[in-house]
Amino acid sequence: QVQLVESGGGLVQAGGSLRLSCAASGRTFSSVAMGWFRQAPGKEREFVAAINWSGGNTDCADSVKGRFTISRDNAKNTAYLQMNSLKPEDTAVYYCAASYYYSSSRFPNEYAAWGQGTQVTVSS
Protein backbone atom coordinates (compact mmCIF):
# COMPACT_ATOMS: atom_id res chain seq x y z
CA GLN A 1 0.00 0.00 0.00
CA VAL A 2 1.44 3.35 -1.08
CA GLN A 3 1.11 6.28 1.31
CA LEU A 4 1.29 9.79 -0.13
CA VAL A 5 2.12 13.18 1.35
CA GLU A 6 1.74 16.38 -0.67
CA SER A 7 3.63 19.60 -0.06
CA GLY A 8 4.35 22.88 -1.79
CA GLY A 9 0.97 24.53 -1.74
CA GLY A 10 0.43 28.11 -0.67
CA LEU A 11 -0.73 31.58 -1.62
CA VAL A 12 0.55 33.10 -4.85
CA GLN A 13 -0.42 36.02 -7.06
CA ALA A 14 -1.91 35.47 -10.48
CA GLY A 15 0.84 34.80 -12.98
CA GLY A 16 3.06 33.21 -10.38
CA SER A 17 4.36 29.67 -10.02
CA LEU A 18 4.32 26.85 -7.50
CA ARG A 19 5.73 23.34 -7.51
CA LEU A 20 3.82 20.67 -5.68
CA SER A 21 5.57 17.52 -4.48
CA CYS A 22 4.09 14.17 -3.61
CA ALA A 23 6.32 11.94 -1.51
CA ALA A 24 5.42 8.27 -1.55
CA SER A 25 6.27 5.47 0.81
CA GLY A 26 6.06 1.85 -0.20
CA ARG A 27 7.77 -0.34 -2.75
CA THR A 28 5.20 -0.03 -5.51
CA PHE A 29 5.65 3.67 -6.38
CA SER A 30 7.92 3.08 -9.37
CA SER A 31 5.55 0.55 -10.90
CA VAL A 32 2.33 2.57 -10.90
CA ALA A 33 1.03 5.67 -12.61
CA MET A 34 0.56 8.86 -10.60
CA GLY A 35 -2.05 11.57 -10.93
CA TRP A 36 -2.92 15.00 -9.66
CA PHE A 37 -6.50 16.08 -9.05
CA ARG A 38 -8.00 19.21 -7.54
CA GLN A 39 -11.18 20.23 -5.81
CA ALA A 40 -12.43 23.78 -5.47
CA PRO A 41 -15.08 24.77 -2.91
CA GLY A 42 -18.53 23.66 -4.03
CA LYS A 43 -17.15 21.75 -7.02
CA GLU A 44 -16.41 18.13 -7.78
CA ARG A 45 -12.88 16.76 -7.78
CA GLU A 46 -11.39 17.13 -11.24
CA PHE A 47 -8.47 15.64 -13.11
CA VAL A 48 -5.40 17.83 -13.54
CA ALA A 49 -2.54 15.67 -14.81
CA ALA A 50 -1.21 12.12 -14.83
CA ILE A 51 2.02 10.32 -15.62
CA ASN A 52 2.68 6.66 -16.35
CA TRP A 53 4.96 4.44 -14.30
CA SER A 54 8.16 5.31 -16.15
CA GLY A 55 7.49 8.99 -16.74
CA GLY A 56 7.51 8.46 -20.48
CA ASN A 57 3.88 9.35 -20.99
CA THR A 58 1.95 12.27 -19.53
CA ASP A 59 -1.55 13.64 -19.84
CA CYS A 60 -3.10 16.86 -18.60
CA ALA A 61 -6.44 18.59 -18.62
CA ASP A 62 -7.10 21.18 -21.30
CA SER A 63 -7.56 23.84 -18.63
CA VAL A 64 -3.92 23.53 -17.53
CA LYS A 65 -2.22 22.45 -20.74
CA GLY A 66 0.81 24.58 -21.50
CA ARG A 67 0.93 25.87 -17.91
CA PHE A 68 1.26 22.78 -15.70
CA THR A 69 3.80 19.96 -16.03
CA ILE A 70 3.73 16.64 -14.24
CA SER A 71 6.93 14.69 -13.63
CA ARG A 72 8.30 12.00 -11.37
CA ASP A 73 11.58 10.82 -9.90
CA ASN A 74 11.34 7.11 -9.16
CA ALA A 75 14.70 7.12 -7.39
CA LYS A 76 13.23 9.60 -4.90
CA ASN A 77 9.73 8.09 -4.79
CA THR A 78 8.36 11.53 -5.58
CA ALA A 79 5.97 13.01 -8.12
CA TYR A 80 5.78 16.69 -8.96
CA LEU A 81 3.38 19.19 -10.43
CA GLN A 82 5.01 22.35 -11.74
CA MET A 83 2.38 25.07 -12.04
CA ASN A 84 3.17 28.22 -14.00
CA SER A 85 1.07 31.20 -15.07
CA LEU A 86 -1.35 30.50 -12.26
CA LYS A 87 -4.86 31.91 -12.45
CA PRO A 88 -7.42 32.57 -9.70
CA GLU A 89 -9.52 29.72 -11.11
CA ASP A 90 -6.66 27.33 -10.24
CA THR A 91 -7.47 27.88 -6.56
CA ALA A 92 -8.29 24.49 -5.03
CA VAL A 93 -7.07 21.71 -2.80
CA TYR A 94 -4.67 19.61 -4.86
CA TYR A 95 -4.42 15.86 -4.30
CA CYS A 96 -1.91 13.39 -5.61
CA ALA A 97 -2.93 9.81 -6.18
CA ALA A 98 -1.29 6.48 -6.97
CA SER A 99 -2.93 4.32 -9.59
CA TYR A 100 -3.69 0.62 -9.56
CA TYR A 101 -2.11 0.43 -13.00
CA TYR A 102 1.02 1.18 -15.03
CA SER A 103 -0.76 3.53 -17.42
CA SER A 104 -1.99 6.99 -16.57
CA SER A 105 -5.70 7.68 -16.24
CA ARG A 106 -8.11 10.58 -15.85
CA PHE A 107 -10.56 8.56 -13.75
CA PRO A 108 -10.40 8.83 -9.93
CA ASN A 109 -11.73 5.31 -9.45
CA GLU A 110 -8.56 3.94 -11.07
CA TYR A 111 -6.45 5.32 -8.23
CA ALA A 112 -5.77 3.20 -5.16
CA ALA A 113 -4.24 5.69 -2.76
CA TRP A 114 -4.66 9.41 -2.14
CA GLY A 115 -2.77 12.06 -0.25
CA GLN A 116 -4.35 14.42 2.25
CA GLY A 117 -4.27 17.38 -0.13
CA THR A 118 -2.49 20.72 -0.20
CA GLN A 119 -4.18 24.09 -0.58
CA VAL A 120 -3.29 26.31 -3.52
CA THR A 121 -4.72 29.84 -3.49
CA VAL A 122 -4.18 32.24 -6.37
CA SER A 123 -5.02 35.87 -5.74
CA SER A 124 -6.01 38.24 -8.52
Side-chain angles (χ1 to χ4, degrees), residues 22-36:
C22 175
S25 62
R27 296 179 295 172
T28 61
F29 174 84
S30 61
S31 62
V32 298
M34 296 293 295
W36 286 94

Side-chain angles (χ1 to χ4, degrees), residues 109-121:
N109 63 359
E110 295 192 7
Y111 288 83
W114 293 80
Q116 82 289 350
T118 186
Q119 177 70 46
V120 171
T121 303

Side-chain angles (χ1 to χ4, degrees), residues 38-105:
R38 66 188 182 186
Q39 187 167 17
K43 295 188 176 181
E44 293 188 352
R45 189 170 298 190
E46 65 172 354
F47 168 76
V48 176
I51 188 167
N52 75 333
W53 70 278
S54 68
N57 182 271
T58 62
D59 182 27
C60 62
D62 288 346
S63 59
V64 305
K65 197 165 290 183
R67 301 188 298 121
F68 291 12
T69 302
I70 188 171
S71 61
R72 67 189 298 160
D73 185 337
N74 286 347
K76 296 183 178 179
N77 272 17
T78 303
Y80 304 96
L81 185 68
Q82 177 67 44
M83 305 186 295
N84 299 328
S85 302
L86 282 160
K87 304 175 181 180
E89 51 264 43
D90 295 317
T91 295
V93 177
Y94 283 71
Y95 299 89
C96 70
S99 175
Y100 288 106
Y101 310 115
Y102 294 167
S103 299
S104 61
S105 170

